[in-house]
Amino acid sequence: MNAEITAAIHHGIEFLHQSRAAQGQWCDFSLAPGLSDEWVTGYVGSMVAKIDHPFAWKMAFHAWQWLSQRQSEGGWGYNLLVPRDADSTIWALCLAQALGCDNWTTSRHALQWLQHHTQPDHGMTTYATEAPIRDFIQASKTTSLAGWTQSHICVTAAAAQLAPFRLSACDFLRTRQEADGRWASYWWCDDEYATSLAVEALARIDNLGDGDRIFQALQWGQRQVQANGAVVTMTCPQGSSFATALVLNLLTTMPFEDPCSDLALGVLGSEKRPQKYEISLAKGAGARSKDSRFEVVVRIVRWLLDHQRADGSWPSSATLRVPPPDVISPDTVQDWIISGKTEKAIALDHHSIFTTATVIKSLQQFSGAILPTLPIKTSGLKMAGGYKFGHWNWFLSNHCTSPIPYQPNDRADAHQTDQDAKSLTSLYSPLPPSIVHRD
């Protein structure tokens, strides 16, 4: 399976490279203001920046350069026509953080602007002030915008990926977990989105009291997985690549317990089946229970690998929704409009860019969840974006039948100034022949 995973990730990267617009940005979804470029570029770039592949990092940096030139009023939005919002700004900053560009002037201004979106309950709202978005959607003065200006769980979970907001955002998230273990999304049909991000943030803090919360979320995630490894949704009853990848991300946030042996052999394609492993919870969680989490994860990976399309993408399945601005709980809305453009719209990423970026990031995280169980020499490797670059290529080069044809060089200092930006595009060794001539 390991060779298939790296091939799928590389093929997905090629698809995302071919899908870029002229200046290195990505465009997807289609609502009344048109295609989204700023929000989509921030999200996709932040996923791509976490892929252990030299060309992926270059693409991510080109995306950040484009976003840096598009910043207005301190933040970013769905596109240049729409008022700035917290969610779009968060994902642009996540990209900057992954690249080590969070000390740029652009990033610092955005962080200051974003602080005004933190509510008294420590949650993050999409729109801190009503006037700009009210004027944009041409809502009357009597129309309530309480739904759009409240604290949003999915936006707060995204903000929790940013170091300056993580502690306060996690305080809010601890109060909003549902009884079944999930976190509910406001702007998404799929609660897998908010739940995956919430667990990722809580796991990074490693708070003594979060073990049970994480365990409940992991159990919820496993219950979403069908026998064939897919997660089904309202819009994708045969299986959603987006939701499935998010559950993969959720279930691989916590490391697998068993060191080496069976777990490694299972991924390496041994005939020996992996056994059940203990879930490693945050400290202080109490009991650790036996679970088949790894086996569920392997089914998910198998399903995702089997559903990658010939062009390297996965089928569109990221399901954005636009509740009416006065709606506090989107679950109370009955008459959603598939492929709508305004209120009550449900929109898929029709270019498959959002879904594909999510899948390859989750496959990369699966690789990272397996690697810590292997005896890998890590001396001399630099940390960047939370990943040890070189581990996966080392692993593949020692265990695959075909060697990796290229290796990333050591990354330069993560903290670059605006003036140093141009030099960042030449940090890596030559690109694979299948990609290098496409610019």
mmCIF file of all heavy atoms in Angstrom, residues 127 130 133-134 137 139-150 152 186-187 322-333 336 343-344:
data_model
loop_
_atom_site.group_PDB
_atom_site.id
_atom_site.type_symbol
_atom_site.label_atom_id
_atom_site.label_comp_id
_atom_site.label_asym_id
_atom_site.label_seq_id
_atom_site.Cartn_x
_atom_site.Cartn_y
_atom_site.Cartn_z
ATOM 1 N N TYR A 127 -18.213 37.106 10.598
ATOM 2 C CA TYR A 127 -18.303 38.558 10.349
ATOM 3 C C TYR A 127 -18.428 39.287 11.686
ATOM 4 O O TYR A 127 -19.419 39.138 12.396
ATOM 5 C CB TYR A 127 -19.503 38.878 9.459
ATOM 6 C CG TYR A 127 -19.406 38.259 8.088
ATOM 7 C CD1 TYR A 127 -20.155 37.129 7.758
ATOM 8 C CD2 TYR A 127 -18.555 38.799 7.117
ATOM 9 C CE1 TYR A 127 -20.062 36.553 6.498
ATOM 10 C CE2 TYR A 127 -18.455 38.219 5.857
ATOM 11 C CZ TYR A 127 -19.214 37.097 5.561
ATOM 12 O OH TYR A 127 -19.118 36.520 4.306
ATOM 13 N N GLU A 130 -21.668 43.962 11.180
ATOM 14 C CA GLU A 130 -22.769 43.666 10.264
ATOM 15 C C GLU A 130 -22.761 44.497 8.987
ATOM 16 O O GLU A 130 -23.127 44.007 7.920
ATOM 17 C CB GLU A 130 -24.108 43.877 10.968
ATOM 18 C CG GLU A 130 -24.409 42.878 12.065
ATOM 19 C CD GLU A 130 -25.840 43.029 12.570
ATOM 20 O OE1 GLU A 130 -26.565 43.936 12.074
ATOM 21 O OE2 GLU A 130 -26.237 42.249 13.449
ATOM 22 N N ILE A 133 -21.265 43.213 5.307
ATOM 23 C CA ILE A 133 -21.956 42.076 4.694
ATOM 24 C C ILE A 133 -23.435 42.378 4.488
ATOM 25 O O ILE A 133 -24.053 41.889 3.531
ATOM 26 C CB ILE A 133 -21.741 40.791 5.544
ATOM 27 C CG1 ILE A 133 -22.212 39.566 4.767
ATOM 28 C CG2 ILE A 133 -22.416 40.913 6.904
ATOM 29 C CD1 ILE A 133 -21.456 39.302 3.490
ATOM 30 N N ARG A 134 -24.034 43.188 5.349
ATOM 31 C CA ARG A 134 -25.431 43.588 5.143
ATOM 32 C C ARG A 134 -25.574 44.364 3.834
ATOM 33 O O ARG A 134 -26.488 44.123 3.052
ATOM 34 C CB ARG A 134 -25.919 44.432 6.321
ATOM 35 C CG ARG A 134 -27.389 44.859 6.198
ATOM 36 C CD ARG A 134 -27.801 45.774 7.351
ATOM 37 N NE ARG A 134 -27.753 45.092 8.627
ATOM 38 C CZ ARG A 134 -28.720 44.310 9.089
ATOM 39 N NH1 ARG A 134 -29.823 44.105 8.358
ATOM 40 N NH2 ARG A 134 -28.607 43.748 10.276
ATOM 41 N N ILE A 137 -25.117 41.867 0.702
ATOM 42 C CA ILE A 137 -26.251 41.001 0.352
ATOM 43 C C ILE A 137 -27.547 41.798 0.218
ATOM 44 O O ILE A 137 -28.606 41.228 -0.047
ATOM 45 C CB ILE A 137 -26.442 39.873 1.387
ATOM 46 C CG1 ILE A 137 -26.812 40.445 2.760
ATOM 47 C CG2 ILE A 137 -25.183 39.014 1.481
ATOM 48 C CD1 ILE A 137 -27.154 39.366 3.801
ATOM 49 N N ALA A 139 -29.367 43.327 2.438
ATOM 50 C CA ALA A 139 -30.371 42.996 3.443
ATOM 51 C C ALA A 139 -30.937 44.266 4.052
ATOM 52 O O ALA A 139 -30.219 45.252 4.252
ATOM 53 C CB ALA A 139 -29.758 42.130 4.541
ATOM 54 N N SER A 140 -32.200 44.247 4.366
ATOM 55 C CA SER A 140 -32.834 45.414 4.973
ATOM 56 C C SER A 140 -32.336 45.596 6.399
ATOM 57 O O SER A 140 -31.772 44.666 7.005
ATOM 58 C CB SER A 140 -34.356 45.247 4.983
ATOM 59 O OG SER A 140 -34.727 44.204 5.859
ATOM 60 N N LYS A 141 -32.543 46.764 6.932
ATOM 61 C CA LYS A 141 -32.088 47.056 8.293
ATOM 62 C C LYS A 141 -32.818 46.207 9.329
ATOM 63 O O LYS A 141 -32.329 46.029 10.444
ATOM 64 C CB LYS A 141 -32.277 48.539 8.596
ATOM 65 C CG LYS A 141 -31.371 49.452 7.772
ATOM 66 C CD LYS A 141 -31.557 50.908 8.158
ATOM 67 C CE LYS A 141 -30.610 51.806 7.350
ATOM 68 N NZ LYS A 141 -30.773 53.240 7.711
ATOM 69 N N THR A 142 -33.977 45.688 8.963
ATOM 70 C CA THR A 142 -34.746 44.874 9.907
ATOM 71 C C THR A 142 -34.376 43.383 9.837
ATOM 72 O O THR A 142 -34.792 42.601 10.680
ATOM 73 C CB THR A 142 -36.245 45.019 9.627
ATOM 74 O OG1 THR A 142 -36.521 44.608 8.276
ATOM 75 C CG2 THR A 142 -36.691 46.467 9.811
ATOM 76 N N THR A 143 -33.588 43.001 8.838
ATOM 77 C CA THR A 143 -33.176 41.597 8.701
ATOM 78 C C THR A 143 -32.098 41.268 9.730
ATOM 79 O O THR A 143 -31.077 41.951 9.814
ATOM 80 C CB THR A 143 -32.635 41.313 7.293
ATOM 81 O OG1 THR A 143 -33.666 41.569 6.338
ATOM 82 C CG2 THR A 143 -32.180 39.865 7.174
ATOM 83 N N SER A 144 -32.330 40.242 10.485
ATOM 84 C CA SER A 144 -31.342 39.830 11.486
ATOM 85 C C SER A 144 -30.173 39.115 10.814
ATOM 86 O O SER A 144 -30.358 38.292 9.914
ATOM 87 C CB SER A 144 -31.997 38.888 12.504
ATOM 88 O OG SER A 144 -31.021 38.331 13.360
ATOM 89 N N LEU A 145 -28.972 39.425 11.276
ATOM 90 C CA LEU A 145 -27.762 38.726 10.823
ATOM 91 C C LEU A 145 -27.156 37.912 11.965
ATOM 92 O O LEU A 145 -25.974 37.601 11.962
ATOM 93 C CB LEU A 145 -26.733 39.734 10.296
ATOM 94 C CG LEU A 145 -27.143 40.618 9.118
ATOM 95 C CD1 LEU A 145 -25.960 41.451 8.648
ATOM 96 C CD2 LEU A 145 -27.693 39.798 7.965
ATOM 97 N N ALA A 146 -28.008 37.532 12.911
ATOM 98 C CA ALA A 146 -27.521 36.859 14.110
ATOM 99 C C ALA A 146 -26.826 35.542 13.783
ATOM 100 O O ALA A 146 -25.880 35.140 14.476
ATOM 101 C CB ALA A 146 -28.684 36.606 15.074
ATOM 102 N N GLY A 147 -27.287 34.858 12.741
ATOM 103 C CA GLY A 147 -26.668 33.592 12.367
ATOM 104 C C GLY A 147 -25.245 33.763 11.875
ATOM 105 O O GLY A 147 -24.353 32.980 12.221
ATOM 106 N N TRP A 148 -25.011 34.779 11.083
ATOM 107 C CA TRP A 148 -23.699 34.987 10.473
ATOM 108 C C TRP A 148 -22.712 35.693 11.386
ATOM 109 O O TRP A 148 -21.513 35.682 11.118
ATOM 110 C CB TRP A 148 -23.850 35.775 9.173
ATOM 111 C CG TRP A 148 -24.499 34.998 8.065
ATOM 112 C CD1 TRP A 148 -25.113 33.781 8.153
ATOM 113 C CD2 TRP A 148 -24.599 35.391 6.698
ATOM 114 N NE1 TRP A 148 -25.597 33.388 6.929
ATOM 115 C CE2 TRP A 148 -25.289 34.360 6.004
ATOM 116 C CE3 TRP A 148 -24.184 36.509 5.975
ATOM 117 C CZ2 TRP A 148 -25.568 34.418 4.645
ATOM 118 C CZ3 TRP A 148 -24.461 36.572 4.609
ATOM 119 C CH2 TRP A 148 -25.139 35.531 3.951
ATOM 120 N N THR A 149 -23.212 36.336 12.441
ATOM 121 C CA THR A 149 -22.326 37.088 13.338
ATOM 122 C C THR A 149 -22.154 36.413 14.691
ATOM 123 O O THR A 149 -21.480 36.965 15.566
ATOM 124 C CB THR A 149 -22.859 38.516 13.545
ATOM 125 O OG1 THR A 149 -24.208 38.456 14.042
ATOM 126 C CG2 THR A 149 -22.844 39.300 12.241
ATOM 127 N N GLN A 150 -22.722 35.247 14.889
ATOM 128 C CA GLN A 150 -22.509 34.488 16.118
ATOM 129 C C GLN A 150 -21.161 33.769 16.057
ATOM 130 O O GLN A 150 -20.505 33.730 15.010
ATOM 131 C CB GLN A 150 -23.628 33.461 16.286
ATOM 132 C CG GLN A 150 -23.579 32.366 15.234
ATOM 133 C CD GLN A 150 -24.587 31.262 15.449
ATOM 134 O OE1 GLN A 150 -24.877 30.880 16.574
ATOM 135 N NE2 GLN A 150 -25.141 30.730 14.357
ATOM 136 N N HIS A 152 -18.974 30.694 15.431
ATOM 137 C CA HIS A 152 -19.165 29.518 14.598
ATOM 138 C C HIS A 152 -18.155 28.442 14.982
ATOM 139 O O HIS A 152 -16.946 28.698 15.020
ATOM 140 C CB HIS A 152 -19.012 29.882 13.119
ATOM 141 C CG HIS A 152 -20.038 30.849 12.636
ATOM 142 N ND1 HIS A 152 -19.722 32.035 12.008
ATOM 143 C CD2 HIS A 152 -21.401 30.807 12.716
ATOM 144 C CE1 HIS A 152 -20.833 32.682 11.697
ATOM 145 N NE2 HIS A 152 -21.863 31.964 12.124
ATOM 146 N N TYR A 186 -21.213 24.885 10.920
ATOM 147 C CA TYR A 186 -22.230 25.853 10.504
ATOM 148 C C TYR A 186 -22.240 26.011 8.985
ATOM 149 O O TYR A 186 -23.297 25.921 8.358
ATOM 150 C CB TYR A 186 -21.963 27.218 11.165
ATOM 151 C CG TYR A 186 -23.056 28.241 10.877
ATOM 152 C CD1 TYR A 186 -24.198 28.283 11.652
ATOM 153 C CD2 TYR A 186 -22.932 29.164 9.836
ATOM 154 C CE1 TYR A 186 -25.206 29.213 11.395
ATOM 155 C CE2 TYR A 186 -23.918 30.091 9.564
ATOM 156 C CZ TYR A 186 -25.065 30.118 10.346
ATOM 157 O OH TYR A 186 -26.065 31.024 10.069
ATOM 158 N N TRP A 187 -21.094 26.227 8.391
ATOM 159 C CA TRP A 187 -21.010 26.498 6.959
ATOM 160 C C TRP A 187 -20.841 25.227 6.124
ATOM 161 O O TRP A 187 -20.708 25.319 4.906
ATOM 162 C CB TRP A 187 -19.844 27.444 6.666
ATOM 163 C CG TRP A 187 -19.972 28.802 7.312
ATOM 164 C CD1 TRP A 187 -19.272 29.275 8.379
ATOM 165 C CD2 TRP A 187 -20.844 29.872 6.916
ATOM 166 N NE1 TRP A 187 -19.641 30.565 8.681
ATOM 167 C CE2 TRP A 187 -20.613 30.967 7.794
ATOM 168 C CE3 TRP A 187 -21.798 30.013 5.905
ATOM 169 C CZ2 TRP A 187 -21.289 32.168 7.696
ATOM 170 C CZ3 TRP A 187 -22.482 31.223 5.804
ATOM 171 C CH2 TRP A 187 -22.222 32.278 6.683
ATOM 172 N N VAL A 322 -24.973 27.630 2.718
ATOM 173 C CA VAL A 322 -25.149 29.047 3.051
ATOM 174 C C VAL A 322 -26.494 29.213 3.758
ATOM 175 O O VAL A 322 -27.529 29.417 3.111
ATOM 176 C CB VAL A 322 -25.097 29.938 1.798
ATOM 177 C CG1 VAL A 322 -25.156 31.416 2.211
ATOM 178 C CG2 VAL A 322 -23.844 29.654 0.982
ATOM 179 N N PRO A 323 -26.520 29.101 5.082
ATOM 180 C CA PRO A 323 -27.781 29.306 5.804
ATOM 181 C C PRO A 323 -28.264 30.748 5.658
ATOM 182 O O PRO A 323 -27.451 31.668 5.459
ATOM 183 C CB PRO A 323 -27.402 29.004 7.257
ATOM 184 C CG PRO A 323 -26.088 28.282 7.192
ATOM 185 C CD PRO A 323 -25.401 28.800 5.970
ATOM 186 N N PRO A 324 -29.559 30.997 5.729
ATOM 187 C CA PRO A 324 -30.034 32.381 5.782
ATOM 188 C C PRO A 324 -29.350 33.113 6.933
ATOM 189 O O PRO A 324 -29.042 32.503 7.969
ATOM 190 C CB PRO A 324 -31.544 32.226 6.023
ATOM 191 C CG PRO A 324 -31.873 30.890 5.436
ATOM 192 C CD PRO A 324 -30.669 30.031 5.732
ATOM 193 N N PRO A 325 -29.083 34.398 6.792
ATOM 194 C CA PRO A 325 -28.260 35.108 7.783
ATOM 195 C C PRO A 325 -28.841 35.176 9.182
ATOM 196 O O PRO A 325 -28.103 35.422 10.139
ATOM 197 C CB PRO A 325 -28.109 36.505 7.178
ATOM 198 C CG PRO A 325 -29.215 36.638 6.199
ATOM 199 C CD PRO A 325 -29.464 35.277 5.664
ATOM 200 N N ASP A 326 -30.145 34.942 9.318
ATOM 201 C CA ASP A 326 -30.745 34.995 10.651
ATOM 202 C C ASP A 326 -30.806 33.634 11.327
ATOM 203 O O ASP A 326 -31.201 33.529 12.489
ATOM 204 C CB ASP A 326 -32.156 35.578 10.563
ATOM 205 C CG ASP A 326 -33.099 34.720 9.721
ATOM 206 O OD1 ASP A 326 -32.601 34.040 8.800
ATOM 207 O OD2 ASP A 326 -34.305 34.736 9.984
ATOM 208 N N VAL A 327 -30.398 32.581 10.630
ATOM 209 C CA VAL A 327 -30.522 31.217 11.162
ATOM 210 C C VAL A 327 -29.360 30.904 12.095
ATOM 211 O O VAL A 327 -28.199 30.958 11.688
ATOM 212 C CB VAL A 327 -30.586 30.189 10.009
ATOM 213 C CG1 VAL A 327 -30.455 28.770 10.549
ATOM 214 C CG2 VAL A 327 -31.887 30.349 9.242
ATOM 215 N N ILE A 328 -29.690 30.548 13.319
ATOM 216 C CA ILE A 328 -28.680 30.194 14.314
ATOM 217 C C ILE A 328 -28.227 28.753 14.126
ATOM 218 O O ILE A 328 -27.032 28.450 14.156
ATOM 219 C CB ILE A 328 -29.222 30.388 15.745
ATOM 220 C CG1 ILE A 328 -29.645 31.854 15.960
ATOM 221 C CG2 ILE A 328 -28.176 29.964 16.773
ATOM 222 C CD1 ILE A 328 -28.516 32.845 15.868
ATOM 223 N N SER A 329 -29.172 27.856 13.909
ATOM 224 C CA SER A 329 -28.866 26.430 13.735
ATOM 225 C C SER A 329 -29.276 25.987 12.333
ATOM 226 O O SER A 329 -30.476 25.871 12.049
ATOM 227 C CB SER A 329 -29.603 25.594 14.784
ATOM 228 O OG SER A 329 -29.389 24.219 14.545
ATOM 229 N N PRO A 330 -28.332 25.720 11.452
ATOM 230 C CA PRO A 330 -28.660 25.327 10.074
ATOM 231 C C PRO A 330 -29.472 24.040 9.976
ATOM 232 O O PRO A 330 -30.153 23.806 8.977
ATOM 233 C CB PRO A 330 -27.286 25.153 9.416
ATOM 234 C CG PRO A 330 -26.363 25.966 10.243
ATOM 235 C CD PRO A 330 -26.878 25.856 11.641
ATOM 236 N N ASP A 331 -29.417 23.202 10.995
ATOM 237 C CA ASP A 331 -30.165 21.948 10.953
ATOM 238 C C ASP A 331 -31.669 22.169 10.964
ATOM 239 O O ASP A 331 -32.436 21.246 10.652
ATOM 240 C CB ASP A 331 -29.768 21.051 12.135
ATOM 241 C CG ASP A 331 -28.343 20.526 12.014
ATOM 242 O OD1 ASP A 331 -27.819 20.500 10.879
ATOM 243 O OD2 ASP A 331 -27.762 20.155 13.040
ATOM 244 N N THR A 332 -32.099 23.383 11.289
ATOM 245 C CA THR A 332 -33.536 23.684 11.276
ATOM 246 C C THR A 332 -34.036 24.037 9.883
ATOM 247 O O THR A 332 -35.241 24.108 9.662
ATOM 248 C CB THR A 332 -33.842 24.855 12.230
ATOM 249 O OG1 THR A 332 -33.153 26.031 11.771
ATOM 250 C CG2 THR A 332 -33.379 24.536 13.644
ATOM 251 N N VAL A 333 -33.121 24.250 8.944
ATOM 252 C CA VAL A 333 -33.510 24.594 7.569
ATOM 253 C C VAL A 333 -33.884 23.311 6.830
ATOM 254 O O VAL A 333 -33.131 22.333 6.846
ATOM 255 C CB VAL A 333 -32.360 25.323 6.839
ATOM 256 C CG1 VAL A 333 -32.757 25.635 5.403
ATOM 257 C CG2 VAL A 333 -31.993 26.595 7.589
ATOM 258 N N TRP A 336 -33.200 23.178 1.480
ATOM 259 C CA TRP A 336 -31.927 23.539 0.888
ATOM 260 C C TRP A 336 -31.994 23.421 -0.632
ATOM 261 O O TRP A 336 -32.744 22.596 -1.175
ATOM 262 C CB TRP A 336 -30.813 22.642 1.417
ATOM 263 C CG TRP A 336 -30.507 22.828 2.877
ATOM 264 C CD1 TRP A 336 -30.917 22.041 3.900
ATOM 265 C CD2 TRP A 336 -29.740 23.890 3.463
ATOM 266 N NE1 TRP A 336 -30.449 22.530 5.110
ATOM 267 C CE2 TRP A 336 -29.716 23.658 4.864
ATOM 268 C CE3 TRP A 336 -29.068 24.994 2.955
ATOM 269 C CZ2 TRP A 336 -29.052 24.487 5.754
ATOM 270 C CZ3 TRP A 336 -28.393 25.821 3.845
ATOM 271 C CH2 TRP A 336 -28.388 25.570 5.214
ATOM 272 N N GLU A 343 -28.822 32.376 -0.400
ATOM 273 C CA GLU A 343 -29.294 31.769 0.838
ATOM 274 C C GLU A 343 -29.900 30.389 0.578
ATOM 275 O O GLU A 343 -30.551 30.160 -0.431
ATOM 276 C CB GLU A 343 -30.332 32.674 1.505
ATOM 277 C CG GLU A 343 -29.780 34.027 1.936
ATOM 278 C CD GLU A 343 -30.874 34.936 2.466
ATOM 279 O OE1 GLU A 343 -31.975 34.425 2.748
ATOM 280 O OE2 GLU A 343 -30.634 36.140 2.603
ATOM 281 N N LYS A 344 -29.663 29.486 1.505
ATOM 282 C CA LYS A 344 -30.127 28.097 1.461
ATOM 283 C C LYS A 344 -29.416 27.273 0.380
ATOM 284 O O LYS A 344 -29.849 26.172 0.049
ATOM 285 C CB LYS A 344 -31.643 28.015 1.269
ATOM 286 C CG LYS A 344 -32.446 28.668 2.388
ATOM 287 C CD LYS A 344 -33.932 28.458 2.188
ATOM 288 C CE LYS A 344 -34.719 29.103 3.329
ATOM 289 N NZ LYS A 344 -36.186 28.905 3.175
#
